[in-house]
Amino acid sequence: MNDFIYKKSLGQNFLTDLNVLKRIVNSVPIEKNSLVVEIGPGSGNLTKELANVANQVLCYEIDSRLELVLDENLKDYKNVEVIFEDFLKSDIKEDLKNFNYDNLYLVANLPYYITTPIIEKVINSKLNFKYITVMVQKEVGERFNAKPGMREYNSLTVYLNYYFDIKREFIVSRNSFTPKPNVDSMVISLIKKEKLLYLKSEEHFDNLIRDAFRFKRKNIRNNLKNYDLEKIENILKKYNYDLTVRAEDLSLEIFVDISNSLS
Ligand code: SAM
């Protein structure tokens, strides 16, 4: 790795602190016959720790310059497979058909420039990930974990909270990486909810929350002016709100209720 030129454009900040690597792996209650998917193994630091506790590990790495390094670093780990491909272009459902597993997890130190598209892709795949434990930029982690009324609460928060219980694991200092990034990081777990709230249409719900938060300073009446405002007002009344409320004050349950009344 000595002459490796790190690509900032690929979010290449490698985690070099063994304690942190072990803490990430220990955050995930990996059960028997497990398959862990890792996005962006880099030089394989986290991969090795995962391979020590999981039955199988499947990695996606976009940068084929890392092939020799990974071959060397992972040569003693027969339970790891690396696909050299852009994860966002991969057919993960098809790839997973080659594996036999009972418990599926995603663990990764994510490339920060595509955090949201990766998470959206994983959710949309409808694969049964029990735990998604990822390192993200600290500010992004705060957003995932925000509660109504907080500055960080936005459409992504509501979207994630529909599918998962969100658990803030711990903060990681920028000094734990090579090269050192400009931001601190957070490890956060998205834990699959046993029972989802009933939704008539996930697509309608997605569009509704996106539109409700479109302009941060505008209220529901303005952001949702193309929706049936009378019906929305009736739902809001149940919760002691009116159309002047802002999306950032409304809980997941209220958005679900509104979406079901409109779709
Ligand atoms: N897992 C390593 C670690 O913890 O030290 C490296 C993590 S580094 C933050 C992100 C990794 O994601 C890099 O290896 C980078 O090349 C890879 N990557 C970036 N974009 C990717 C993509 N679209 N698909 C798959 N891997 C990607």
Side-chain angles (χ1 to χ4, degrees):
M1 284 301 287
N2 286 343
D3 3 303
F4 185 76
I5 298 170
Y6 293 89
K7 279 196 185 165
K8 217 176 162 180
S9 62
L10 292 179
Q12 289 181 336
N13 300 97
F14 292 178
L15 190 52
T16 40
D17 184 330
L18 188 61
N19 283 329
V20 178
L21 290 162
K22 287 193 183 296
R23 257 185 103 183
I24 295 177
V25 176
N26 287 337
S27 304
V28 194
I30 296 180
E31 291 172 65
K32 62 175 184 357
N33 199 11
S34 52
L35 170 62
V36 176
V37 174
E38 186 193 2
I39 298 156
S43 58
N45 299 347
L46 181 60
T47 321
K48 279 192 212 168
E49 299 305 318
L50 290 169
N52 283 331
V53 296
N55 294 91
Q56 306 165 85
V57 182
L58 169 65
C59 306
Y60 290 90
E61 175 54 65
I62 199 172
D63 190 349
S64 54
R65 294 177 309 153
L66 289 161
E67 195 162 350
L68 283 179
V69 182
L70 280 169
D71 276 352
E72 176 58 28
N73 287 352
L74 299 175
K75 65 175 186 295
D76 296 331
Y77 296 85
K78 303 296 174 224
N79 57 343
V80 178
E81 186 182 318
V82 183
I83 300 179
F84 285 91
E85 190 179 18
D86 178 347
F87 175 72
L88 294 179
K89 297 200 177 125
S90 69
D91 186 343
I92 180 168
K93 266 191 135 152
E94 200 51 40
D95 296 338
L96 289 195
K97 285 189 185 151
N98 300 323
F99 291 83
N100 205 320
Y101 59 89
D102 291 323
N103 293 297
L104 182 63
Y105 307 87
L106 191 145
V107 183
N109 172 12
L110 289 180
Y112 294 169
Y113 71 109
I114 44 171
T115 300
T116 305
I118 288 176
I119 304 258
E120 284 179 347
K121 172 162 178 151
V122 170
I123 295 177
N124 292 336
S125 75
K126 301 280 177 215
L127 286 162
N128 193 16
F129 285 100
K130 282 196 150 177
Y131 250 73
I132 298 177
T133 296
V134 282
M135 172 111 71
V136 298
Q137 197 176 320
K138 183 167 164 258
E139 285 66 26
V140 175
E142 307 283 14
R143 240 183 279 150
F144 286 9
N145 197 30
K147 302 286 173 275
M150 287 169 67
R151 193 170 44 87
E152 295 86 2
Y153 187 76
N154 68 4
S155 58
L156 183 60
T157 320
V158 181
Y159 179 75
L160 290 179
N161 274 276
Y162 177 72
Y163 297 97
F164 304 103
D165 289 320
I166 316 275
K167 182 170 171 221
R168 179 192 210 270
E169 301 286 0
F170 53 94
I171 300 291
V172 182
S173 150
R174 63 195 77 184
N175 297 321
S176 300
F177 298 85
T178 306
K180 180 171 152 182
N182 297 326
V183 289
D184 292 324
S185 297
M186 186 193 286
V187 176
I188 196 149
S189 290
L190 312 180
I191 306 159
K192 191 176 166 283
K193 282 189 175 166
E194 286 295 321
K195 204 165 180 297
L196 297 182
L197 292 172
Y198 169 70
L199 252 190
K200 278 192 195 158
S201 159
E202 285 185 32
E203 195 188 342
H204 183 277
F205 174 73
D206 289 354
N207 290 333
L208 175 79
I209 54 179
R210 248 181 252 272
D211 289 337
F213 283 90
R214 191 161 301 268
F215 299 102
K216 215 170 160 34
R217 307 219 53 81
K218 289 194 174 176
N219 61 24
I220 286 290
R221 189 200 304 281
N222 291 322
N223 274 337
L224 296 182
K225 60 174 185 282
N226 297 327
Y227 289 72
D228 184 337
L229 285 174
E230 214 178 297
K231 280 192 178 161
I232 296 177
E233 192 173 26
N234 280 334
I235 300 291
L236 287 175
K237 258 193 209 148
K238 277 194 348 198
Y239 301 93
N240 293 325
Y241 290 113
D242 59 32
L243 289 168
T244 63
V245 70
R246 291 211 184 120
E248 67 198 38
D249 290 316
L250 299 180
S251 67
L252 167 67
E253 289 72 18
I254 301 179
F255 281 113
V256 168
D257 206 350
I258 294 176
S259 177
N260 285 343
S261 80
L262 297 176
S263 54

